[in-house]
Amino acid sequence: MKPDHSSFPRLDGLGWLSAARRCPSPNFDARPDGVAVDMVVIHNISLPPDVFGGQGVEQLFTNCLDPDEHPYYAQIAGLRVSAHFFIRRDGGLVQFVSTEDRAWHAGVSSWRGRERCNDFSVGVELEGCDTRPFEPAQYARLVEVLRAVCARYPVRDIVGHSDIAPGRKTDPGPFFDWQALRDAGLPGVRSD
């Protein structure tokens, strides 16, 4: 039996998800003409590292991170990065960039011979790290977000940051449960 997707949130005509709290980031630009979104990249992030629940991620993605607040912040305060979505440990959802635009989440990257993965992907950050499991509420929210993105775009690949930037990135990390996404019937989930 196929799941009923009618009750899941949908992206509006401008690429915003009604279920998400908007926190617009200046760190985006237009996608190249004629490039279709066909991939989702899953990341993990916590600021300060391995600390959950603070405002560091939102501050980083909106260029408001105070370098004096934590020693680690001094190293990253000048970065200009963002993602489309951020899913907190309790399943809370924040959207920083419209899915119609290119968020700056992947950096130097390549997938299936195509460079610059930001051009054709949606980036989803999970509040987490490489050393701890994610929460059930995060997987539930992630599946909702992925279903909304897949309903709007011809997604053929759902991968981790480590897949598109091997050797440079390790997220979403060894505790991420890829099988949970396969069990949800999502297309193109990377194999283990």
Side-chain angles (χ1 to χ4, degrees):
M1 184 165 152
K2 287 186 118 181
D4 175 17
H5 299 288
S6 63
S7 63
F8 288 96
R10 298 257 182 221
L11 290 162
D12 69 18
L14 299 176
W16 294 94
L17 194 61
S18 61
R21 179 173 58 83
R22 280 191 205 182
C23 184
S25 171
N27 303 327
F28 73 94
D29 56 6
R31 294 186 188 276
D33 288 339
V35 174
V37 172
D38 62 10
M39 183 168 73
V40 177
V41 179
I42 300 173
H43 306 258
N44 76 43
I45 190 170
S46 56
L47 291 176
D50 301 324
V51 175
F52 307 135
Q55 295 302 308
V57 174
E58 290 186 33
Q59 292 169 351
L60 176 65
F61 289 173
T62 57
N63 302 340
C64 297
L65 195 62
D66 180 356
D68 297 324
E69 189 175 322
H70 187 277
Y72 183 72
Y73 292 180
Q75 301 173 41
I76 64 169
L79 292 178
R80 297 296 175 249
V81 295
S82 63
H84 294 91
F85 299 100
F86 174 52
I87 301 174
R88 292 192 167 277
R89 302 293 286 182
D90 65 0
L93 179 63
V94 182
Q95 186 171 0
F96 296 95
V97 176
S98 162
T99 58
E100 292 293 296
D101 291 316
R102 176 172 54 190
W104 302 342
H105 61 95
V108 176
S109 53
S110 176
W111 183 250
R112 296 184 193 264
R114 296 193 307 175
E115 305 282 323
R116 300 174 48 100
C117 293
N118 285 339
D119 291 352
F120 52 90
S121 67
V122 167
V124 181
E125 296 272 4
L126 297 175
E127 186 174 31
C129 58
D130 286 1
T131 60
R132 291 174 56 185
F134 296 94
E135 298 295 333
Q138 290 180 287
Y139 287 108
R141 182 64 79 174
L142 177 60
V143 167
E144 287 183 1
V145 169
L146 292 173
R147 285 184 174 152
V149 172
C150 291
R152 172 75 170 259
Y153 302 105
V155 172
R156 62 181 185 160
D157 294 297
I158 300 174
V159 299
H161 200 186
S162 58
D163 297 312
I164 64 169
R168 188 174 72 81
K169 294 294 181 178
T170 59
D171 57 314
F175 287 96
F176 186 78
D177 184 2
W178 290 101
Q179 188 61 46
L181 302 188
R182 287 190 285 277
D183 290 348
L186 294 159
V189 177
R190 77 140 204 185
S191 59
D192 289 327

